[in-house]
Amino acid sequence: MSEKKHGVAVPKEIKERYERLKETVEKYRYEYHVLDKETISPEALDSLKYELSNIEKQYPGLITSDSPSQRVAGEPLKEFSKITHAVSQWSFDDAFTEEDAKEFDARVRRFLKNRLGREITPTYTCELKIDGLKIVLTYEKGVLQTAATRGDGKVGENVTANVKTIQSVPITLTQNVGVVVEGEVWLSKSNFQKLNALQKKRNLPLYANPRNVAAGSIRQLDPKIVEERNLDTFIYDIASFQNPILATQYDELKLLRTLGFKTNPNFRHCKNIEEVVTYWKEWQKKSTKEDYLLDGIVIKVNERAYQEVLGYTGKSPRFAIALKFPAEQVTTIVEDIVLQIGRTGILTPVAELKPVRVAGSVVARATLHNEDEIRRLDVRIGDTVILQKAGDVIPDIVSVVGGMRTGKEKQYRFPDRVSECGGNGAIERIPGEAAWRCVNKNSFAQQKRKLYHFTSKKAFNIEGLGPKIIDALLEHQLISSYQDIFSLTKDELSALPRFGDKSSENIINSIESAKDISFPRFLIALSIPHVGEGVANDLADTFGTLANLQHASFAELERLSGIGPIVATSVSDWFSDAHNKKIVDGLLSHVHVQKHSAAKGALSGKTFVLTGTLSLLSRDEAKERIRKSGGKVLESVSKTLDYLVAGEKPGSKLGKAQTLGVSVLTERAFLDMIQKG
């Protein structure tokens, strides 16, 4: 037996096979794209889709709008038509702090009490705020009719053909109902990396971030291009439903999943605002571990009856608010620019700012690096600037908000003299560099900072001997040089104000423990210009002993990978200087510098940059593990970098790595790499 479809006879067994294929493809599509369960391989699923497509080619009369093949329209659209939303689309008011969240809770309680005449204790449902593009989906009798962008809240763009290409969007629901739902279209970080790798291979411009790609993709006129982007969705709200409204927001999210939509699994019912704040703080730490971008949480009054009472303002619901994660970029005012003297005599310009909270802490100062950076930014005293502290500890001025200028701002010029430089205070710009320095290389301010650095964790790591103690020792003339530290006695320390026997004994023990030091840390401690952690380890790997390095020629130094003529000159000149030779000899009379062997292991020949906050080990521990496994730690991201290890709140380095196609590792993947090796 066969039946005719549009004049073409369809054998019964073919029709039955076709219907089963539709059901099976839909089942595996739902499990793979919504439930994240790979019950069959993607290749097997593709094979089923291929068979279904071939049947439709032979019997086009079988094709219906809910067929899996109809996710991709055949021809590019010339333009988008408009859709008037059946339900107005609102935007959330924003909150930024714990105090803001508690004020929202108090506001909700006041409003409910005024309207209902009694004290009300609402509960809340919290959801992650996905950084993507809002989409509105309309279903009739369980079948997708239209998909529209938010637009102006009243009218959006008809992007139905493009949304059908998104595998997590059901074309047919599990129930034969009419419903309008809202959600977010997003592009995963991993797919963003693949997309940029393809752009790079094609010598095309790289994309800036996943959110922009998602928004740009959904507005492509050719649905086939959209399909290639592998977009995804999370549906989070029912705007209109033919059945009775559910009692709570929490139940609504569960219903959405039952209907076949992909919802974010990390929503939580909170009994009070304190639990809401706890959820918010948890996700500040966990946000970067997800494969999608999120910039905060959404707090909604859980009880639907209370939502109805609270209603809406002119632009947003009173029953919900977006609580953003601590801002990584803010604006503030440059109140002054001052110079800070470093341990090598370099003068660093520092902007003194109107205090502002950024990335969870209050910032009042930001480095401007050097004179060229001030000119590049054209930053002036009195300017309004954009400040960034994204993952990195030191805040940075990103740019000036030029439109905020009044004409009263003052340009900064380096002075002729700086009193803290000692002597006549003369300063000079280093030939061929952007930096200025004190002409006098032995000013008190400079020597003090050298001593701070000498005892710090990255150098001799003398516990308890921090800047305040160093200041006290200098003030009482107990030390004036590095080697004096190793001659201190318990009695001398005990005589200092607010020093007891126990604290003095602890410092003496720390000094004693520090006398056996690795070669790289010894080099770091000496404050040789241009010799930081990376260079110190490179020098130690190459020369092995201090004696070998002391006798190295400029030519030998310059030949080293990553050293270059500036660093080679600095190291060669430093060890040739008679005063510095005395410093080293004096130290060697007290300390032992270990012989160094270049590590070989699983990471040999590989380069790494660390960014963000690591949760399983400290930044220094991570660097040590890389070096012990034969790898090399760098400070900046470039196209030659092998891996970026990204912790929580990774900042701008992550974006640059993704743009350049550099492999990005989570902390766990990084540790697995070392352990497997």
Side-chain angles (χ1 to χ4, degrees), residues 242-472:
Q242 69 175 44
N243 294 340
I245 296 294
L246 296 172
T248 69
Q249 184 69 31
Y250 192 83
D251 289 337
E252 184 175 304
L253 288 167
K254 291 193 292 184
L255 173 61
L256 283 167
R257 196 167 184 83
T258 300
L259 289 173
F261 294 107
K262 184 172 183 176
T263 60
N264 188 284
N266 298 302
F267 60 91
R268 183 183 299 173
H269 178 233
C270 298
K271 296 176 183 176
N272 50 50
I273 201 66
E274 286 74 22
E275 289 188 6
V276 169
V277 171
T278 298
Y279 174 87
W280 175 61
K281 289 180 177 178
E282 282 178 13
W283 277 100
Q284 286 178 43
K285 297 176 182 177
K286 297 192 295 187
S287 61
T288 57
K289 296 177 182 177
E290 299 298 329
D291 199 25
Y292 45 83
L293 294 179
L294 56 153
D295 57 2
I297 68 169
V298 174
I299 310 166
K300 297 177 183 175
V301 170
N302 187 46
E303 295 78 13
R304 178 69 69 176
Y306 296 158
Q307 288 188 15
E308 296 293 332
V309 173
L310 288 159
Y312 298 82
T313 65
K315 73 176 191 71
S316 58
R318 292 191 184 92
F319 56 82
I321 198 167
L323 181 56
K324 297 293 191 71
F325 293 146
E328 295 180 344
Q329 283 194 351
V330 295
T331 57
T332 187
I333 297 170
V334 177
E335 296 182 330
D336 200 0
I337 296 175
V338 298
L339 294 175
Q340 180 175 287
I341 301 174
R343 56 193 167 86
T344 61
I346 299 295
L347 294 160
T348 302
V350 175
E352 295 191 337
L353 307 167
K354 182 178 180 181
V356 62
R357 182 175 290 274
V358 56
S361 61
V362 176
V363 171
R365 290 162 64 87
T367 178
L368 287 166
H369 303 289
N370 52 50
E371 185 180 25
D372 287 2
E373 180 71 356
I374 291 176
R375 289 177 179 171
R376 184 188 72 79
L377 291 168
D378 188 24
V379 62
R380 307 173 189 182
I381 298 169
D383 266 335
T384 298
V385 295
I386 296 173
L387 185 71
Q388 174 174 286
K389 195 177 77 168
D392 300 317
V393 176
I394 301 172
D396 241 350
I397 290 177
V398 178
S399 62
V400 173
V401 185
M404 296 296 294
R405 280 189 173 158
T406 63
K408 296 180 180 179
E409 294 76 17
K410 296 179 182 177
Q411 289 186 324
Y412 180 80
R413 291 181 174 82
F414 273 71
D416 296 325
R417 302 183 188 283
V418 175
S419 59
E420 281 191 300
C421 284
N424 64 1
I427 67 173
E428 62 183 359
R429 178 155 171 161
I430 302 172
E433 297 185 36
W436 286 74
R437 66 185 173 194
C438 299
V439 173
N440 172 20
K441 294 182 173 60
N442 294 298
S443 68
F444 178 75
Q446 190 175 336
Q447 294 307 313
K448 183 168 66 172
R449 288 192 175 276
K450 282 184 179 180
L451 287 165
Y452 292 169
H453 175 75
F454 184 85
T455 61
S456 69
K457 193 172 183 179
K458 292 181 180 179
F460 269 80
N461 191 23
I462 303 177
E463 193 173 343
L465 207 56
K468 289 184 179 179
I469 308 301
I470 295 289
D471 288 348

Side-chain angles (χ1 to χ4, degrees), residues 454-455 459-462 481-488 508 510-519 521-523 525-526 546 550 582-595:
F454 184 85
T455 61
F460 269 80
N461 191 23
I462 303 177
S481 66
Y482 298 149
Q483 71 181 80
D484 290 343
I485 291 170
F486 298 99
S487 300
L488 287 169
I508 293 299
S510 294
I511 292 172
E512 193 63 32
S513 299
K515 287 183 178 179
D516 190 44
I517 189 170
S518 70
F519 185 15
R521 291 165 77 93
F522 183 80
L523 291 177
L526 295 176
L546 179 61
Q550 286 175 302
K582 285 185 178 180
I583 290 174
V584 173
D585 290 343
L587 284 171
L588 292 179
S589 67
H590 294 280
V591 306
H592 170 253
V593 181
Q594 302 161 6
K595 184 178 179 180

Side-chain angles (χ1 to χ4, degrees), residues 187-201:
L187 177 72
S188 69
K189 297 174 188 175
S190 52
N191 278 327
F192 176 73
Q193 289 179 23
K194 291 176 184 176
L195 189 57
N196 261 348
L198 187 61
Q199 289 290 103
K200 186 177 180 181
K201 186 177 180 180

Side-chain angles (χ1 to χ4, degrees), residues 45 158 263 328 430 553 611 639:
L45 181 54
N158 186 341
T263 60
E328 295 180 344
I430 302 172
S553 67
T611 186
K639 62 182 179 181

Side-chain angles (χ1 to χ4, degrees), residues 9 48 135 186 206 238 264 309 320 462 469 657 669:
L48 292 172
I135 204 77
W186 52 276
L206 300 181
I238 296 176
N264 188 284
V309 173
I462 303 177
I469 308 301

